[in-house]
Amino acid sequence: DQQVKQNSPSLSVQEGRISILNCDYTNSMFDYFLWYKKYPAEGPTFLISISSIKDKNEDGRFTVFLNKSAKHLSLHIVPSQPGDSAVYFCAASASGSSNTGKLIFGQGTTLQVKP
Amino acid sequence: EAQVTQNPRYLITVTGKKLTVTCSQNMNHEYMSWYRQDPGLGLRQIYYSMNVEVTDKGDVPEGYKVSRKEKRNFPLILESPSPNQTSLYFCASRRPLSYNEQFFGPGTRLTVL
């Protein structure tokens, strides 16, 4: 039972345009969400996060939007650059699991930004 | 440089031959965990440790063991590997409650024949 789903395995966009990566979750206990970025042969690295008390968080070219009623979050990258080409993982956690540190990850979306 | 290291990076082995994947961090983090990444499934937590001598199961612990005798090290042990343990493994560390500062190792690609 996949509690965090990224239904698009891949996404291709042109350099300079917007990339939108989507993530859906089913567990209403999740209250903290993160996006990780992964390059080949490297471990995931933290990109941006959002708490459930917010609906938007912005960091430079990256913005995460959270729609709690729809149990949906999205990552916007504007403008997209070739160096953004990577696998992006959405992850979620519930406050009660803060001690276990358990993050539930989606399947990942491979973003390709074409020059 | 703050980092999590894993060894080996690549390993091909045969069914039943015990192996250990090492993980070490130099950030004095209390919390460490192991994940496996499989196609279509994302990353799933295998085991975690909140501090020395404190370990617990994650979502997919079957067939794995861990130990935490020192704060910096968190080895993953496969006593009798099987082909369904062929996967990409990541070790991670962080301070308590600091999800944003979770550091992942570079990964270990394991193939069990």
Side-chain angles (χ1 to χ4, degrees):
Chain A
D1 179 28
Q2 194 84 18
Q3 297 185 67
V4 177
K5 297 181 182 179
Q6 294 175 255
N7 291 317
S8 297
S10 63
L11 174 67
S12 181
V13 300
Q14 208 65 35
E15 180 179 6
R17 306 294 288 267
I18 185 172
S19 296
I20 300 177
L21 293 88
N22 294 303
C23 179
D24 297 296
Y25 62 96
T26 57
N27 190 339
S28 57
M29 299 300 292
F30 290 149
D31 55 7
Y32 198 74
F33 305 89
L34 308 92
W35 285 93
Y36 280 83
K37 178 179 180 180
K38 183 185 176 307
Y39 291 118
E42 295 182 12
T45 55
F46 168 75
L47 184 60
I48 193 169
S49 63
I50 188 167
S51 164
S52 60
I53 62 173
K54 294 184 175 182
D55 54 19
K56 176 183 174 181
N57 189 27
E58 193 171 353
D59 183 2
R61 296 185 297 113
F62 303 91
T63 303
V64 56
F65 295 91
L66 175 63
N67 182 334
K68 289 188 289 294
S69 60
K71 294 191 176 68
H72 176 84
L73 64 154
S74 60
L75 174 68
H76 292 211
I77 306 174
V78 184
S80 301
Q81 299 174 353
D84 296 328
S85 297
V87 178
Y88 289 79
F89 289 100
C90 170
S93 75
S95 299
S97 64
S98 59
N99 278 339
T100 69
K102 180 186 286 189
L103 288 176
I104 307 299
F105 285 84
Q107 306 96 311
T109 296
T110 300
L111 173 65
Q112 182 185 30
V113 180
K114 298 178 179 178
Chain B
E1 178 190 358
Q3 60 181 353
V4 178
T5 56
Q6 295 179 226
N7 282 292
R9 295 289 311 278
Y10 302 91
L11 178 61
I12 300 174
T13 189
V14 295
T15 299
K17 186 176 181 181
K18 180 179 179 179
L19 67 92
T20 299
V21 183
T22 65
C23 172
S24 183
Q25 48 96 4
N26 62 0
M27 295 164 281
N28 202 35
H29 285 168
E30 292 82 0
Y31 180 90
M32 298 184 74
S33 61
W34 277 101
Y35 291 87
R36 60 178 287 174
Q37 181 191 348
D38 300 291
L41 296 175
L43 286 85
R44 294 177 294 167
Q45 190 183 58
I46 303 170
Y47 267 94
Y48 65 94
S49 169
M50 290 190 284
N51 215 322
V52 176
E53 302 292 0
V54 181
T55 64
D56 208 345
K57 298 177 180 178
D59 291 322
V60 287
E62 294 77 20
Y64 304 94
K65 287 175 58 178
V66 292
S67 69
R68 188 87 181 275
K69 293 183 170 56
E70 305 166 283
K71 198 171 187 179
R72 64 183 293 127
N73 296 323
F74 190 43
L76 180 69
I77 303 156
L78 285 72
E79 294 270 2
S80 182
S82 61
N84 64 13
Q85 293 178 299
T86 293
S87 188
L88 179 58
Y89 292 87
F90 292 100
C91 180
S93 77
R94 64 170 175 84
R95 295 199 184 283
L97 305 180
S98 59
Y99 289 113
N100 292 10
E101 295 178 2
Q102 177 152 233
F103 291 82
F104 281 84
T108 295
R109 173 75 66 182
L110 173 65
T111 301
V112 183
L113 301 175

